[in-house]
Coordinates of all heavy atoms in Angstrom, one line a residue:
F93 N 9.5 -8.7 -2.7 CA 8.3 -9.1 -3.4 C 8.4 -8.9 -4.9 O 9.4 -8.2 -5.4 CB 7.1 -8.3 -2.9 CG 7.1 -6.8 -3.3 CD1 6.4 -6.4 -4.5 CD2 7.7 -5.9 -2.6 CE1 6.4 -5.1 -4.9 CE2 7.7 -4.5 -3.0 CZ 7.1 -4.2 -4.1
K94 N 7.6 -9.5 -5.7 CA 7.6 -9.4 -7.1 C 6.4 -8.6 -7.6 O 5.3 -8.7 -7.0 CB 7.6 -10.8 -7.8 CG 8.8 -11.6 -7.5 CD 8.7 -13.0 -8.1 CE 9.9 -13.9 -7.8 NZ 9.8 -15.2 -8.5
Y95 N 6.5 -7.9 -8.7 CA 5.4 -7.2 -9.3 C 5.5 -7.3 -10.8 O 6.5 -7.2 -11.4 CB 5.5 -5.7 -8.9 CG 4.4 -4.9 -9.4 CD1 3.1 -4.8 -8.8 CD2 4.6 -4.1 -10.6 CE1 2.1 -4.1 -9.3 CE2 3.5 -3.3 -11.0 CZ 2.3 -3.3 -10.4 OH 1.3 -2.5 -10.9
S96 N 4.4 -7.6 -11.4 CA 4.3 -7.8 -12.9 C 3.5 -6.7 -13.5 O 2.4 -6.4 -13.1 CB 3.7 -9.2 -13.2 OG 4.5 -10.2 -12.7
R97 N 4.1 -6.1 -14.5 CA 3.3 -5.1 -15.3 C 2.8 -5.7 -16.5 O 3.6 -6.1 -17.5 CB 4.3 -3.9 -15.7 CG 4.5 -2.9 -14.6 CD 5.6 -1.9 -15.1 NE 5.5 -0.7 -14.5 CZ 6.4 0.3 -14.7 NH1 7.4 0.1 -15.6 NH2 6.3 1.5 -14.1
K98 N 1.5 -5.9 -16.6 CA 0.9 -6.6 -17.7 C 1.0 -5.8 -19.0 O 1.0 -6.3 -20.1 CB -0.5 -7.0 -17.4 CG -0.6 -8.0 -16.3 CD -2.1 -8.4 -16.1 CE -2.2 -9.5 -15.0 NZ -3.6 -9.9 -14.7
S99 N 1.0 -4.4 -18.8 CA 1.0 -3.5 -19.9 C 2.2 -3.7 -20.9 O 2.1 -3.6 -22.1 CB 1.0 -2.1 -19.5 OG 2.1 -1.8 -18.6
N100 N 3.4 -4.0 -20.3 CA 4.6 -4.2 -21.1 C 5.3 -5.5 -20.8 O 6.5 -5.6 -21.1 CB 5.5 -3.0 -21.0 CG 6.0 -2.8 -19.5 OD1 5.6 -3.6 -18.6 ND2 6.7 -1.8 -19.3
N101 N 4.6 -6.4 -20.1 CA 5.2 -7.7 -19.8 C 6.5 -7.6 -19.0 O 7.4 -8.4 -19.1 CB 5.4 -8.5 -21.0 CG 5.5 -10.0 -20.7 OD1 4.9 -10.5 -19.8 ND2 6.3 -10.7 -21.5
E102 N 6.6 -6.6 -18.1 CA 7.8 -6.4 -17.3 C 7.6 -7.0 -15.9 O 6.5 -6.8 -15.3 CB 8.0 -4.9 -17.1 CG 9.3 -4.6 -16.3 CD 9.5 -3.1 -16.1 OE1 8.5 -2.3 -16.3 OE2 10.6 -2.7 -15.7
H103 N 8.6 -7.6 -15.4 CA 8.5 -8.3 -14.1 C 9.6 -7.6 -13.2 O 10.8 -7.6 -13.5 CB 8.8 -9.8 -14.2 CG 7.8 -10.5 -15.0 ND1 6.6 -10.9 -14.6 CD2 7.9 -10.9 -16.3 CE1 5.9 -11.5 -15.6 NE2 6.7 -11.5 -16.6
I104 N 9.1 -7.1 -12.1 CA 10.0 -6.3 -11.2 C 10.2 -7.1 -9.9 O 9.2 -7.5 -9.3 CB 9.5 -4.9 -10.8 CG1 9.3 -4.1 -12.1 CG2 10.3 -4.2 -9.8 CD1 8.6 -2.8 -11.9
F105 N 11.4 -7.4 -9.5 CA 11.7 -8.0 -8.2 C 12.5 -7.1 -7.3 O 13.6 -6.6 -7.7 CB 12.5 -9.3 -8.4 CG 12.8 -10.0 -7.1 CD1 11.8 -10.7 -6.4 CD2 14.1 -10.0 -6.5 CE1 12.1 -11.3 -5.2 CE2 14.3 -10.6 -5.3 CZ 13.3 -11.3 -4.7
I106 N 12.0 -6.7 -6.1 CA 12.7 -5.8 -5.2 C 13.1 -6.6 -4.0 O 12.2 -7.1 -3.3 CB 11.7 -4.6 -4.9 CG1 11.3 -3.9 -6.2 CG2 12.5 -3.7 -3.9 CD1 10.4 -2.7 -5.9
T107 N 14.4 -6.6 -3.8 CA 14.9 -7.4 -2.7 C 14.6 -6.8 -1.3 O 14.2 -7.5 -0.4 CB 16.4 -7.6 -2.9 OG1 16.7 -8.1 -4.2 CG2 17.0 -8.6 -1.8
N108 N 14.9 -5.5 -1.2 CA 14.7 -4.8 0.0 C 13.9 -3.5 -0.2 O 14.4 -2.4 -0.3 CB 16.1 -4.4 0.6 CG 16.9 -5.6 1.1 OD1 16.4 -6.4 1.9 ND2 18.1 -5.7 0.6
P109 N 12.6 -3.7 -0.3 CA 11.8 -2.5 -0.6 C 11.7 -1.6 0.6 O 11.5 -2.0 1.7 CB 10.4 -3.1 -0.9 CG 10.4 -4.4 -0.2 CD 11.8 -4.9 -0.2
Y110 N 11.9 -0.3 0.3 CA 11.7 0.7 1.4 C 10.7 1.7 0.9 O 11.0 2.4 -0.1 CB 13.1 1.4 1.7 CG 12.9 2.5 2.8 CD1 13.1 2.2 4.1 CD2 12.3 3.7 2.5 CE1 12.9 3.2 5.1 CE2 12.1 4.7 3.4 CZ 12.4 4.4 4.7 OH 12.1 5.3 5.7
C111 N 9.7 1.9 1.6 CA 8.7 2.9 1.3 C 8.0 3.4 2.5 O 7.3 2.6 3.2 CB 7.6 2.3 0.3 SG 6.3 3.5 -0.1
S112 N 8.2 4.6 2.9 CA 7.5 5.3 4.0 C 6.4 6.1 3.4 O 6.4 6.5 2.2 CB 8.5 6.1 4.8 OG 9.3 5.4 5.7
I113 N 5.4 6.5 4.3 CA 4.3 7.2 3.9 C 4.0 8.3 4.9 O 4.1 8.1 6.1 CB 3.0 6.3 3.8 CG1 3.2 5.2 2.8 CG2 1.8 7.1 3.3 CD1 2.1 4.1 2.8
I114 N 3.7 9.5 4.4 CA 3.2 10.6 5.3 C 2.1 11.4 4.6 O 2.2 11.6 3.4 CB 4.4 11.5 5.7 CG1 3.9 12.4 6.9 CG2 5.0 12.3 4.6 CD1 5.0 13.1 7.6
G115 N 1.1 11.7 5.4 CA 0.0 12.6 4.9 C -0.8 13.0 6.1 O -0.5 12.8 7.2
S116 N -1.9 13.6 5.7 CA -2.8 14.1 6.8 C -4.3 13.8 6.5 O -4.6 13.4 5.4 CB -2.7 15.7 6.9 OG -3.2 16.3 5.7
T117 N -5.1 13.9 7.5 CA -6.5 13.6 7.3 C -7.3 14.3 8.4 O -6.7 15.0 9.3 CB -6.8 12.1 7.4 OG1 -8.1 11.9 6.9 CG2 -6.7 11.5 8.8
Q118 N -8.6 14.2 8.4 CA -9.5 14.9 9.3 C -10.2 13.8 10.2 O -10.4 12.7 9.7 CB -10.5 15.7 8.6 CG -9.9 16.8 7.8 CD -10.9 17.5 6.8 OE1 -12.1 17.3 7.0 NE2 -10.4 18.2 5.9
P119 N -10.5 14.1 11.4 CA -11.1 13.1 12.3 C -12.3 12.5 11.7 O -12.6 11.3 11.9 CB -11.5 14.0 13.6 CG -10.5 15.1 13.6 CD -10.3 15.4 12.1
G120 N -13.1 13.2 11.0 CA -14.4 12.7 10.4 C -14.1 11.7 9.3 O -15.1 11.0 8.9
R121 N -12.9 11.6 8.8 CA -12.6 10.6 7.7 C -12.0 9.4 8.2 O -11.7 8.4 7.5 CB -11.6 11.3 6.7 CG -12.1 12.6 6.1 CD -13.4 12.5 5.4 NE -13.4 11.4 4.4 CZ -12.9 11.6 3.1 NH1 -12.4 12.7 2.7 NH2 -13.0 10.6 2.3
L122 N -11.7 9.3 9.5 CA -10.9 8.2 10.1 C -11.7 6.9 10.0 O -11.1 5.8 9.7 CB -10.6 8.4 11.5 CG -9.5 9.5 11.8 CD1 -9.4 9.9 13.2 CD2 -8.1 9.0 11.3
A123 N -13.0 6.9 10.2 CA -13.8 5.7 10.1 C -13.7 5.0 8.7 O -13.6 3.8 8.6 CB -15.2 5.9 10.5
E124 N -13.8 5.9 7.7 CA -13.8 5.4 6.3 C -12.4 4.9 6.0 O -12.3 3.9 5.3 CB -14.2 6.6 5.4 CG -14.1 6.3 3.9 CD -14.4 7.5 3.1 OE1 -14.8 8.5 3.6 OE2 -14.1 7.4 1.9
Q125 N -11.4 5.6 6.4 CA -10.0 5.3 6.0 C -9.4 4.1 6.9 O -8.6 3.4 6.3 CB -9.2 6.5 6.1 CG -9.6 7.6 5.2 CD -9.0 9.0 5.5 OE1 -8.5 9.2 6.6 NE2 -9.1 9.9 4.6
F126 N -9.7 4.0 8.1 CA -9.1 3.1 9.0 C -10.0 2.2 9.8 O -9.6 1.4 10.7 CB -8.1 3.8 10.0 CG -7.0 4.6 9.3 CD1 -7.1 6.0 9.2 CD2 -6.0 3.9 8.7 CE1 -6.1 6.7 8.5 CE2 -5.0 4.6 8.1 CZ -5.0 6.0 8.0
G127 N -11.3 2.3 9.6 CA -12.3 1.5 10.3 C -12.5 0.2 9.6 O -11.9 -0.2 8.7
G128 N -13.6 -0.5 10.1 CA -14.0 -1.8 9.5 C -12.9 -2.8 9.6 O -12.2 -3.0 10.6
K129 N -12.7 -3.5 8.5 CA -11.7 -4.6 8.5 C -10.3 -4.1 8.6 O -9.4 -4.8 9.1 CB -11.8 -5.4 7.2 CG -11.3 -4.7 6.0 CD -11.3 -5.7 4.8 CE -10.8 -5.0 3.5 NZ -10.7 -5.9 2.4
R130 N -10.0 -2.8 8.2 CA -8.7 -2.2 8.4 C -8.3 -2.0 9.8 O -7.1 -1.9 10.1 CB -8.6 -0.9 7.6 CG -8.7 -1.0 6.1 CD -8.6 0.3 5.4 NE -8.5 0.2 4.0 CZ -8.6 1.2 3.1 NH1 -8.7 2.4 3.6 NH2 -8.5 1.0 1.8
L131 N -9.3 -2.0 10.7 CA -9.0 -1.8 12.1 C -8.5 -3.1 12.8 O -7.8 -3.1 13.7 CB -10.3 -1.4 12.9 CG -10.1 -0.8 14.3 CD1 -9.3 0.4 14.3 CD2 -11.5 -0.5 14.9
V132 N -8.9 -4.3 12.2 CA -8.6 -5.5 12.8 C -7.6 -6.4 12.0 O -7.0 -7.3 12.5 CB -9.8 -6.4 13.0 CG1 -10.7 -5.7 14.0 CG2 -10.6 -6.7 11.7
N133 N -7.3 -6.0 10.7 CA -6.4 -6.8 9.9 C -4.9 -6.2 10.0 O -4.1 -6.7 9.3 CB -6.8 -6.9 8.5 CG -6.7 -5.5 7.7 OD1 -6.3 -4.5 8.3 ND2 -7.1 -5.6 6.4
G134 N -4.7 -5.2 10.9 CA -3.4 -4.7 11.0 C -3.1 -3.5 10.1 O -2.0 -2.9 10.2
F135 N -4.0 -3.2 9.2 CA -3.7 -2.0 8.3 C -3.7 -0.7 9.1 O -2.8 0.1 8.9 CB -4.8 -2.0 7.2 CG -4.5 -0.9 6.2 CD1 -3.7 -1.1 5.1 CD2 -5.1 0.4 6.3 CE1 -3.5 0.0 4.2 CE2 -4.9 1.4 5.4 CZ -4.1 1.2 4.4
S136 N -4.7 -0.5 9.9 CA -4.8 0.7 10.7 C -3.6 0.9 11.6 O -3.0 2.0 11.7 CB -6.1 0.8 11.4 OG -6.2 1.9 12.2
S137 N -3.2 -0.2 12.3 CA -2.2 -0.1 13.3 C -0.8 0.1 12.6 O 0.2 0.4 13.3 CB -2.2 -1.3 14.2 OG -2.0 -2.5 13.4

């Protein structure tokens, strides 16, 4: 993917982006974080 930084007119192209994510949350926050459209658009899964 490509990414453009408008602040300094820099264009970044990353051929093989690798980014993993890890964190924690509480059950009561799940609806806000992973509910709604995020549940059906593949974001939550």
Side-chain angles (χ1 to χ4, degrees):
F93 74 92
K94 296 179 181 180
Y95 181 80
S96 297
R97 280 173 156 178
K98 294 182 180 179
S99 57
N100 58 4
N101 200 31
E102 181 184 15
H103 301 279
I104 300 174
F105 179 74
I106 302 180
T107 307
N108 292 304
Y110 179 99
C111 178
S112 282
I113 303 172
I114 190 166
S116 66
T117 193
Q118 299 169 15
R121 305 302 306 277
L122 289 168
E124 177 187 347
Q125 295 163 348
F126 298 105
K129 71 173 185 178
R130 289 179 176 175
L131 194 63
V132 296
N133 70 357
F135 182 86
S136 176
S137 58

